[in-house]
Amino acid sequence: MGSPIIAPSILSADFGKLHEALVALEEAKADWIHVDVMDGHFVPNLTIGPPVVKALRPSTKLPFDVHLMIEKPELSLEQYAKAGADRISVHAEACPHLHRTLSQIRELGCKGGVALNPSTPASIVENILHLADTVVVMTVNPGFGGQAYISEMKDKIRIIRQRANDLGLTDLRIEVDGGISPTTVAEVAQAGADTFVAGSAIFKSDDFAATIADMKAKASA
Ligand code: DX5
Ligand code: ZN
């Protein structure tokens, strides 16, 4: 388990002012920038693609944590890597060949992640955990920001952290995504999560830096 990472999601930013959002988040000491890519098929919402990721790349030095909520993600991994993604997560539900897809992400020089919808069991990553740098446990059904946190996902986090420990995968990051806020961060951290995506909790706050610091402190407690 690593030290806590806070990854604000720009899904909750004003899409007309993404550059300003990235500058503000870096100043507020965010660790990573979480970029939600949606295709209108895998999830019922459509956001941004590689050209926008590329256009945003010069706006910050922070790593881009790209969350692909798209069908057939294996077809566009290279485009996201070239656009400046540092970390790429694909959904297990969209990937019949997860073993191959995770290997491809690493071959492109990125860190690879597997995201799991709330209804997807932890067992789906059991045999490929050594190929993952991150498991993203969705704590909402993906598609929209601002949804309510599903607390039952704590059990899934515990199972994955235990499996990682059994395999000696001490560097595996367990990232939680959806409804994470200063109120919910402590319980997912206690279950074994060390990486925290937050969209609305940060963008609705008056003070990004204070909210990020508060979440980090609560995750470490
Ligand atoms: C949901 C996205 C999340 C979303 C989180 O489909 O994957 O990253 O932006 O937003 P909040 O923190 O508002 O739930
Ligand atoms: Zn996300």
Side-chain angles (χ1 to χ4, degrees):
M1 192 156 162
S3 52
I5 291 280
I6 307 293
S9 163
I10 54 169
L11 184 63
S12 296
D14 176 343
F15 270 23
K17 294 183 180 160
L18 287 172
H19 168 77
E20 290 83 346
L22 294 182
V23 171
L25 290 169
E26 186 170 333
E27 268 175 26
K29 301 215 169 357
D31 297 294
W32 300 348
I33 300 296
H34 185 80
V35 181
D36 285 307
V37 173
M38 306 184 186
D39 66 354
H41 294 277
F42 181 70
V43 289
N45 195 5
L46 184 64
T47 56
I48 63 169
V52 177
V53 175
K54 188 175 177 193
L56 292 175
R57 190 57 284 187
S59 298
T60 178
K61 293 188 296 293
L62 297 180
F64 276 179
D65 176 39
V66 176
H67 177 193
L68 297 180
M69 288 163 276
I70 64 176
E71 291 176 358
K72 299 193 190 307
E74 62 279 2
L75 300 181
S76 44
L77 295 173
E78 194 175 348
Q79 288 182 68
Y80 285 98
K82 283 191 176 154
D86 298 281
R87 315 185 69 99
I88 302 177
S89 297
V90 295
H91 266 265
E93 305 83 5
C95 287
H97 305 294
L98 253 187
H99 185 283
R100 180 190 294 153
T101 306
L102 286 171
S103 304
Q104 283 172 340
I105 296 173
R106 284 186 172 174
E107 280 160 20
L108 288 164
C110 298
K111 301 281 188 191
V114 188
L116 307 181
N117 283 338
S119 61
T120 301
S123 58
I124 202 162
V125 293
E126 207 173 280
N127 298 307
I128 45 87
L129 212 50
H130 60 292
L131 290 173
D133 298 289
T134 309
V135 176
V136 184
V137 176
M138 295 305 301
T139 38
V140 298
N141 288 290
F144 303 95
Q147 302 182 83
Y149 160 75
I150 304 171
S151 87
E152 291 81 4
M153 294 303 116
K154 291 196 301 286
D155 291 341
K156 195 190 299 190
I157 297 166
R158 279 194 203 97
I159 294 168
I160 296 167
R161 182 57 74 196
Q162 184 61 53
R163 174 82 181 156
N165 289 344
D166 291 347
L167 294 171
L169 301 172
T170 46
D171 292 337
L172 181 83
R173 289 216 158 255
I174 299 184
E175 178 170 335
V176 278
D177 186 5
I180 304 301
S181 70
T183 313
T184 57
V185 71
E187 65 178 74
V188 279
Q190 277 154 23
D194 58 8
T195 305
F196 308 92
V197 176
S200 47
I202 289 174
F203 280 93
K204 280 192 182 155
S205 73
D206 301 332
D207 185 339
F208 291 0
T211 307
I212 289 169
D214 185 24
M215 287 182 63
K216 220 175 236 198
K218 285 176 172 149
S220 314

